[in-house]
Amino acid sequence: MMDDNESGISRRQALVGGAGLAAASACLPAAAAKASEHASASADALSVSPPDLDFLRTDALMDADRLRFLMREAGLDALIVTQPANVFYLTNHWPQLDRMGFDGSGIAILCADPARPLTVVMHAFLYYYTHTPESEFSDREIFTYTNPIGAPEVEGEEPPSAEARVMEVADGGTLTSLDRHRLLMFGRTQPPSADATWAMRKALHSLGVWQGRVGIDHLGLEAGLRARGFEGDITSQGQDIVRTARLTKSPTEIRMMRLASERNVAAAITAARSARELGSARALRSAFFGEAGRRGNAGVFMVIAGTSTEALDREFTDGMSVSIDCVSTCRFYHGDFGRTIFIGEPPRTVQRAASAVSTAWSEIREQLRPGMRFSEIPRIGRATLDRLGVDLNVSFRPHSVGLFHTDQPATSLLTPAAPPDLVLQENMTLSVDCPVFLAGLGGTIHLEDLMLIRDGRAEAIHDVPPPVITV
């Protein structure tokens, strides 16, 4: 007979000592049995249709006061960004060509001086065709560019630029409201420059920061500025400053996070309810992506039974415990949600482990509050497992969620450094990953909800289904 250690399950785990856990485990099947009913009600309550995002044409995502405060702390006169997520945060526009494989198709400039306008540098036709339909903002300065034609009259000066191009008008009497809006917004732009670098030069001169200290988020910006004789200091702090600003969400961002998360959860639950009929990991992932799409979200990834690759498939059989970690976006804002699917009745060790993780996550949720450090959160989860007498490897890893699954400073693996021990703040949205990293347990387990720190405590930003879905 194989002993406990050979099976990969410790004696403490197999026996699951502790009266508290025994009671919780006894309740788990009954709670899980209600999951399908609860999930059905949750999914049906949310209209299966894309959300109305028209408010993004008028309501800024950026918390300009917070971002300017961080800029002043860093000694910056201006922030120049071209990474698409950062441009989107500042302007509500995700540059279209960046979604098609190009680089630097939009540039946004914010000055520390609030009297200076938010400034956008963009190709003239791209601004006219892709940006104006989703913007009614009139408080921005738009510096456009086209391309150089011929040589400059004086060496080192800007060459002449091509005329800005817009759609020709066949009949002015039949213009649509969108046609008229495009022309109205485009009529407010500055005359085109010969290229993006000349447009940046003009913008920085206009803003009075040509000799100032600027933060950038892309090395290409520095090359372009230096090529045009920029006379100030350049620092690469821009990326971390914007990501730090995004740790706490503006009211518009919180609205977006709710939309993204509600639809992500509904798609995940709807797909999970069909896991038995779908019969495999590949079919379940496809169902989740499809359900997300029906609700206006775009699937990003789905981890099923510990793997996120679409190249690997796995058949579902009776008695399996299958963890899911579901991520999709609504207009680039991320939903992140994890649960466990019981296909029939898995081994008792798995049921007990799932119950323990559920108890630990409940205790973490109750203690999340402003001022708590990220490093404190895993300790709460581990202390709960210790009290329950359960030997499980669970990360209990927190991460800020927003325009990325992990939307926080210092995320690059190219410059290894200890991650910052972030502090929970009002209006932060975060997740705490609770996967069980234990091979040979008899199944996989995960639990994850998206939380909003508000009014001195944490609240789920979406409806909270039971921890286990039994099919």
Side-chain angles (χ1 to χ4, degrees), residues 14 80 89 166 214 233 238 287:
I80 309 174
Y89 178 67
V166 298
V214 301
D233 295 326

Side-chain angles (χ1 to χ4, degrees), residues 123-198:
H123 189 277
F125 185 76
L126 287 178
Y127 176 73
Y128 161 80
Y129 192 68
T130 68
H131 193 347
T132 60
E134 60 184 23
S135 174
E136 294 183 10
F137 295 102
S138 59
D139 58 346
R140 291 147 187 212
E141 197 74 50
I142 312 297
F143 284 79
T144 63
Y145 61 91
T146 53
N147 56 277
I149 50 173
E153 293 183 4
V154 179
E155 186 176 353
E157 291 190 356
E158 181 182 3
S161 60
E163 185 178 352
R165 181 170 59 93
V166 298
M167 289 192 290
E168 295 182 2
V169 177
D171 182 352
T174 59
L175 289 177
T176 66
S177 59
L178 174 57
D179 293 330
R180 291 191 293 271
H181 177 72
R182 276 180 165 146
L183 292 171
L184 173 67
M185 296 295 287
F186 191 73
R188 298 170 178 168
T189 64
Q190 295 293 322
S193 298
D195 64 26
T197 62
W198 288 110

Side-chain angles (χ1 to χ4, degrees), residues 23-44:
S25 180
C27 295
L28 184 59
K34 297 179 181 178
S36 293
E37 178 183 349
H38 181 281
S40 178
S42 299
D44 292 343

Side-chain angles (χ1 to χ4, degrees), residues 211-234:
Q211 296 178 325
R213 187 167 190 263
V214 301
I216 61 172
D217 69 344
H218 192 293
L219 293 178
L221 291 170
E222 180 172 12
L225 289 169
R226 294 304 185 198
R228 298 294 164 244
F230 180 70
E231 300 171 359
D233 295 326
I234 300 175

Side-chain angles (χ1 to χ4, degrees), residues 255-286:
R255 185 174 179 180
M256 285 303 305
M257 290 298 296
R258 290 193 189 280
L259 289 172
S261 190
E262 289 168 354
R263 283 157 173 77
N264 186 64
V265 171
I269 292 297
T270 302
R273 286 166 50 206
S274 301
R276 181 183 286 273
E277 291 76 16
L278 291 167
S280 72
R282 186 171 291 154
L284 177 60
R285 183 178 288 109
S286 179

Side-chain angles (χ1 to χ4, degrees), residues 303-372:
V303 181
I304 302 175
T307 181
S308 59
T309 177
E310 289 86 355
L312 179 68
D313 199 11
R314 183 179 181 184
E315 183 181 355
F316 296 154
T317 57
D318 196 61
M320 287 184 69
S321 173
V322 179
S323 60
I324 58 171
D325 187 353
C326 305
V327 178
S328 64
T329 62
C330 179
R331 193 58 180 161
F332 310 108
Y333 279 88
H334 283 63
D336 189 9
F337 174 74
R339 282 301 183 267
T340 300
I341 305 172
F342 284 176
I343 301 175
E345 185 172 350
R348 291 290 293 170
T349 52
V350 174
Q351 296 183 45
R352 292 166 177 163
S355 177
V357 171
S358 177
T359 300
W361 171 226
S362 294
E363 295 194 7
I364 290 172
R365 281 180 56 178
E366 291 301 315
Q367 297 184 52
L368 294 176
R369 65 190 185 281
M372 175 180 284

